Amino acid sequence: MKLYYAPGTCALSPHIVALEAGIPIELERVDIRKTPHVTEAGVDFAAINPNLYVPALELDDGSVLTEGTAIVQLLADLKPDVGLVPAFGSPDRYRLQSWLNFIATELHKVHSPWLFHPEYGTQAQDVARRKITERLEFAEDHLARSGPFLMGDRFSAADAYLFTIVGWSEFAKIDLAAFPHLRDFMSRVGARPAVRAAMAAEGMKVAA
């Protein structure tokens, strides 16, 4: 399988899941700063994902799956014994999906375009930061009660996604000082070998 990614984007999440699960994947970088977006192999990315964003996962049969929350579940389900997603039909399976949807809609999408496009203005950015802070409070309270990971004692695909999005906080000028459990979570996840390997492979800064 091949994962199309761009450094510093949400594509880090499925990359982490693949490495945690021990699934070999090929990486192909997409230059999302240029129009049209072109992969490192010189392919117009619009032919792979017409929506023009990463991640996209090319499966063994040549078909392409998009949307990070779907991709991480597919990858995790390929190696169920690793336990990155709960079993089909279990209540915990739907709790994990609830977290994936929360992160996607209440954290991920609130970052963009408000914080990554300065042309929207400082007022829009401040509103976005306040909303994100409210949602981080929810994650903080949950980790305080039920941590150290979102699903309790076991690392899951949802943790890979939360780590990825909260990792944008410094760039987005969102202060995590009031969230000690979330900061501990970021340190804990960031120290995992698969996470460090994924970040290094994408050319991202890895904590010493």
Side-chain angles (χ1 to χ4, degrees), residues 8-207:
T9 69
C10 59
L12 177 64
S13 173
H15 191 179
I16 290 171
V17 170
L19 293 184
E20 288 278 354
I23 297 171
I25 57 169
E26 178 184 352
L27 295 176
E28 185 156 347
R29 182 169 178 164
V30 181
D31 191 343
I32 60 175
R33 295 169 298 179
K34 292 183 179 180
T35 302
H37 297 346
V38 178
T39 76
E40 60 187 329
V43 177
D44 185 349
F45 188 58
I48 298 161
N49 183 7
N51 289 322
L52 297 177
Y53 51 71
V54 293
L57 183 68
E58 182 179 304
L59 306 181
D60 290 338
D61 64 2
S63 63
V64 174
L65 181 66
T66 62
E67 307 306 325
T69 56
I71 293 172
V72 296
Q73 289 179 84
L74 179 146
L75 290 169
D77 280 332
L78 292 175
K79 293 292 183 74
D81 291 345
V82 178
L84 292 170
V85 294
F88 286 108
S90 68
D92 277 347
R93 178 79 176 205
Y94 302 104
R95 293 188 183 100
L96 177 127
Q97 291 174 344
S98 176
W99 275 114
L100 289 174
N101 282 295
F102 172 83
I103 298 164
T105 60
E106 299 295 326
L107 287 174
H108 184 175
K109 297 308 292 184
V110 180
H111 277 80
S112 181
W114 313 114
L115 298 184
F116 297 149
H117 291 272
E119 66 270 21
Y120 280 77
T122 57
Q123 182 177 3
Q125 292 178 340
D126 288 343
V127 170
R129 288 190 185 98
R130 286 197 297 272
K131 179 61 70 175
I132 291 167
T133 299
E134 291 173 2
R135 298 309 186 228
L136 291 179
E137 289 172 355
F138 177 77
E140 170 75 12
D141 291 345
H142 176 80
L143 289 169
R145 294 191 315 270
S146 305
F149 300 111
L150 291 176
M151 298 298 294
D153 292 334
R154 192 161 194 168
F155 179 87
S156 74
D159 296 304
Y161 194 15
L162 182 63
F163 174 84
T164 297
I165 303 307
V166 176
W168 297 347
S169 295
E170 182 177 356
F171 179 83
K173 299 179 181 178
I174 296 170
D175 189 1
L176 299 181
F179 306 118
H181 292 90
L182 189 57
R183 294 200 314 272
D184 288 347
F185 167 88
M186 293 298 290
S187 296
R188 186 179 304 111
V189 175
R192 295 178 71 86
V195 174
R196 295 174 64 85
M199 295 177 71
E202 295 189 16
M204 300 173 65
K205 181 180 178 181
V206 179

